[in-house]
Amino acid sequence: MLLHLSVKDFVIAENIELEFDAGMTVITGETGAGKSIMLDALALCLGSRADAGVVRHQCKQAEVTACFDVSDIPAAREWLASRELLDEHNECLLRRVVTAEGRSRGFVNGSSVTARELQELGEWLIDIHSQHEHQTLLKKANHRPILDSFGKHQALAEDVRQAAKAYRQIDEKLATRLANEEEYSAKLQLLTYQVDELDKLALQDGELDALEAELKQLSNAGDILQNNQRALAVCRNDDGEGALDLLNHACRLIQDNLDNDAGMSDVFEMLESARIQIEEASHELQHRIDNFDMDPQRLAEVDARLDDIHQVARRHRVQAYELLDLQQQLQAELAALEGDGGNIEALQAQHAQALETYQQLAQQLTAARQTTAQQLSDKVNQQLQALSMRGCRFEVTLRAWEQTVHPFGAEEIEFTIATHPGQTPGPLGKIASGGELSRISLAIQVIVAQTSSVATMVFDEVDVGIGGAVAEVVGNLLRQLSANTQVLCVTHLAQVAVKGHQHVVVSKQHHADSTTTQLQQLDDEEKIVEIARMIGGISVSEQTVAHAKAMLNVQH
């Protein structure tokens, strides 16, 4: 519930601090005093549209802060926890700042959030009903959400919407597939041929590089063998003039001198090392020459394999090294085309299943709505009797759509009214007068509010156009509602104001160069004076004070 509201430099409110209790809080004041400023500020804090016009004249910014207790609002706690914003004391502090330039910033428990996030959170915290809400009843599109909210059908209605969306998608897919049957067949035939050709080629990963290296070796086999033989002859040959023979002779000559010239040992070691390396190289060259395979048949095979690969690449207009990626791509396209995405029978089966799923969910929703429609009609009619509209009969009409699959379910919903016995119920806007619409709206709002999970309800002058005994009924309704929900009510009727557990009066203060709005929480004596003012107007007499006391005594 709402615990505290702070308003600074908002419109004509300079600095307002208010504490709120559970139960019913009434807000009163003279016409033009700015009774709705507090609610407008609260709406701003909950993410409503912001502009520079809300900033008090000659001030840099407007700031509104609202503190809520979310102990009994699981959905709000879950929302906060999912964003790591949940306070250990289950308090939720919302703050909105609007600068004189029109820039807006929002905060939840000290962390910056968007206006949209404030709206999301606000839906769990507070529900505002205004005096103009009866105008929304004139739009048939608003009737379905009201009924579904009353019956708590939102989850089922969302399932129906998603089922309709899924059906629409598969329906469009099937229609497109049937319209492009010739194009589909041609594409399927081409993809089948291309994939079959690449499958037969059976190119392996790394095979192209290996074949090109092998071809290069086989093509130069003669030159390689000849060069190896010449290199071996340089290292050693039968006439004793090879490098190895020459090094052996040099080593012997230097070795004979070592006894007389010890400094030649380094030279000997270098020559001996060279001799050993040439000897090892000679052995390796001889091994390669002895095991060298010219294999002209293998050369022809490698050449033919590479030719096949490059021919296929040219037909597909890609480089040879791109063939493997192309093969995977075409295989995926063919699988998609042959699978559920393109097969007519599979699509038709999916289409039928999607339709059946939608119909089952829509039937469940229709049954739930029919039950709820009767319940809402009965409850609203009971309230209308209490609001001195005994000849009225309110009905919730469910009418099947012409469209087979509709995202809102199988039926459209309309609130209808008959204002006289025997009259056929018709659209609210055509049958009911303005005053009747106001009372019908109030009856619906109170009934729907009783099933709401929102912890705080705000009623902004919903009692406009009524008075007398009816006003007392309205007060009783709001008081009754406050037993389970915190109720904030802006009213101009004494019969409603006396029902409040807490009373706040709004007044306008005029200064030399400015005008400000003040809010004051009243004690018991101050309540009497304010109720007396509401009864008697400008002058407060002994009679109006006595009347006010009597009304409050009856209530308290």
Side-chain angles (χ1 to χ4, degrees):
M1 70 175 196
L2 179 63
L3 301 176
H4 178 82
L5 180 68
S6 172
V7 182
K8 294 181 180 179
D9 297 326
F10 179 82
V11 193
I12 60 172
E14 181 178 7
N15 192 349
I16 295 174
E17 299 280 345
L18 275 179
E19 301 289 337
F20 294 91
D21 297 326
M24 179 177 172
T25 298
V26 294
I27 303 161
T28 65
E30 295 181 2
T31 302
K35 294 189 292 295
S36 294
I37 284 181
M38 186 191 77
L39 302 187
D40 292 340
L42 189 57
L44 178 72
C45 203
L46 295 167
S48 68
R49 185 177 178 275
D51 59 58
V54 302
V55 181
R56 198 165 74 92
H57 182 58
Q58 294 184 339
C59 293
K60 293 182 178 180
Q61 65 180 35
E63 182 175 337
V64 182
T65 303
C67 183
F68 290 86
D69 179 358
V70 295
S71 301
D72 298 324
I73 315 176
R77 292 203 309 275
E78 182 179 342
W79 189 97
L80 291 165
S82 68
R83 292 160 176 80
E84 298 183 350
L85 297 174
L86 185 61
D87 177 84
E88 61 180 342
H89 302 297
N90 285 324
E91 286 192 355
C92 177
L93 190 67
L94 277 63
R95 186 164 70 96
R96 188 88 180 274
V97 177
V98 182
T99 68
E101 293 76 29
R103 292 190 296 272
S104 167
R105 291 174 295 157
F107 303 88
V108 173
N109 286 342
S111 296
S112 179
V113 296
T114 65
R116 178 57 191 157
E117 287 175 312
L118 286 174
Q119 291 173 5
E120 289 176 4
L121 178 58
E123 290 177 358
W124 303 111
L125 299 176
I126 198 164
D127 194 3
I128 299 177
H129 301 263
S130 74
Q131 61 174 306
H132 304 295
E133 190 144 340
H134 67 271
Q135 296 174 1
T136 67
L137 290 178
L138 299 180
K139 297 179 180 179
K140 188 165 57 176
N142 294 324
H143 299 171
R144 173 185 50 80
I146 293 174
L147 180 67
D148 285 345
S149 175
F150 176 72
K152 300 187 184 302
H153 305 146
Q154 295 96 325
L156 181 55
E158 177 60 19
D159 289 342
V160 169
R161 191 183 72 81
Q162 292 295 337
K165 180 180 178 181
Y167 171 82
R168 186 167 58 252
Q169 289 174 340
I170 194 65
D171 186 62
E172 292 174 355
K173 201 171 187 179
L174 178 60
T176 301
R177 173 66 181 82
L178 292 171
N180 299 321
E181 173 64 19
E182 186 175 336
E183 178 183 344
Y184 170 85
S185 298
K187 187 173 183 179
L188 178 63
Q189 185 177 1
L190 175 61
L191 279 173
T192 302
Y193 169 77
Q194 290 175 320
V195 170
D196 184 59
E197 182 179 43
L198 290 169
D199 287 345
K200 287 179 180 178
L201 182 65
L203 182 63
Q204 302 300 310
D205 189 23
E207 182 184 1
L208 184 62
D209 291 338
L211 286 172
E212 288 178 342
E214 187 177 1
L215 177 65
K216 185 176 181 181
Q217 180 178 342
L218 290 171
S219 299
N220 297 303
D223 292 338
I224 293 171
L225 179 59
Q226 187 179 43
N227 289 337
N228 285 347
Q229 288 171 338
R230 286 176 178 175
L232 181 59
V234 170
C235 290
R236 69 183 183 192
N237 55 36
D238 295 337
D239 59 11
E241 294 296 327
L244 185 58
D245 296 316
L246 295 174
L247 282 170
N248 281 331
H249 182 61
C251 286
R252 286 193 297 271
L253 292 173
I254 298 303
Q255 192 173 24
D256 291 342
N257 292 337
L258 287 178
D259 293 337
N260 301 318
D261 188 356
M264 293 298 289
S265 61
D266 290 343
V267 175
F268 176 77
E269 288 178 2
M270 288 187 285
L271 289 171
E272 178 64 16
S273 176
R275 185 192 67 78
I276 292 172
Q277 291 187 24
I278 289 178
E279 185 173 15
E280 290 178 353
S282 299
H283 286 307
E284 180 63 26
L285 283 169
Q286 187 63 59
H287 176 73
R288 288 183 174 273
I289 291 168
D290 293 342
N291 292 282
F292 197 83
D293 187 4
M294 296 291 287
D295 199 356
Q297 182 178 351
R298 178 56 184 165
L299 175 61
E301 290 174 356
V302 171
D303 190 54
R305 175 64 174 165
L306 283 170
D307 185 58
D308 289 343
I309 292 172
H310 284 285
Q311 282 190 28
V312 172
R314 283 192 295 272
R315 282 198 292 272
H316 287 275
R317 298 181 180 180
V318 296
Q319 298 296 320
Y321 67 84
E322 297 176 317
L323 281 175
L324 280 175
D325 290 339
L326 177 66
Q327 183 178 15
Q328 292 179 355
Q329 175 190 332
L330 294 178
Q331 285 173 339
E333 290 181 15
L334 180 60
L337 209 59
E338 290 179 330
D340 292 346
N343 184 278
I344 289 181
E345 290 76 14
L347 286 173
Q348 289 173 332
Q350 288 182 26
H351 187 268
Q353 181 59 53
L355 179 59
E356 182 180 352
T357 299
Y358 170 81
Q359 290 174 336
Q360 289 177 349
L361 290 169
Q363 287 170 4
Q364 293 176 31
L365 183 58
T366 297
R369 281 173 170 171
Q370 288 172 339
T371 300
T372 301
Q374 188 60 54
Q375 293 173 346
L376 180 60
S377 298
D378 291 344
K379 288 181 176 295
V380 170
N381 282 322
Q382 289 175 10
Q383 295 297 346
L384 291 178
Q385 302 305 308
L387 292 170
S388 297
M389 295 183 69
R390 293 179 177 80
C392 283
R393 187 172 84 258
F394 174 84
E395 289 185 5
V396 180
T397 302
L398 277 62
R399 191 179 300 108
W401 295 103
E402 293 182 5
Q403 187 176 336
T404 305
V405 176
H406 196 283
F408 292 157
E411 58 281 321
E412 61 177 335
I413 297 165
E414 183 176 17
F415 294 166
T416 59
I417 193 78
T419 56
H420 304 289
Q423 182 184 26
T424 301
L428 294 178
K430 294 182 178 180
I431 303 297
S433 66
E436 289 170 333
L437 274 176
S438 179
R439 279 183 279 178
I440 294 167
S441 173
L442 177 61
I444 294 174
Q445 289 178 59
V446 171
I447 294 301
V448 171
Q450 290 172 351
T451 62
S452 174
S453 59
V454 179
T456 300
M457 295 280 178
V458 176
F459 294 89
D460 185 8
E461 295 194 355
V462 295
D463 49 14
V464 168
I466 60 175
V470 176
E472 186 171 356
V473 171
V474 171
N476 288 332
L477 288 175
L478 295 175
R479 174 85 175 199
Q480 179 184 352
L481 183 61
S482 72
N484 299 313
T485 302
Q486 183 186 38
V487 172
L488 277 61
C489 176
V490 175
T491 182
H492 65 287
L493 296 176
Q495 296 95 322
V496 174
V498 295
K499 306 297 180 180
H501 300 94
Q502 182 181 9
H503 194 143
V504 175
V505 67
V506 182
S507 61
K508 188 179 291 186
Q509 305 294 322
H510 298 282
H511 309 283
D513 57 351
S514 66
T515 300
T516 60
T517 286
Q518 299 293 328
L519 275 75
Q520 177 187 356
Q521 186 169 329
L522 304 182
D523 59 24
D524 290 343
E525 289 300 319
E526 291 168 334
K527 284 183 185 179
I528 295 172
V529 175
E530 174 62 9
I531 297 298
R533 181 200 64 77
M534 297 177 72
I535 296 171
I538 297 176
S539 82
V540 176
S541 64
E542 292 183 4
Q543 288 81 2
T544 56
V545 169
H547 190 183
K549 288 180 178 179
M551 293 177 69
L552 287 165
N553 285 334
V554 168
Q555 176 57 31
H556 301 293

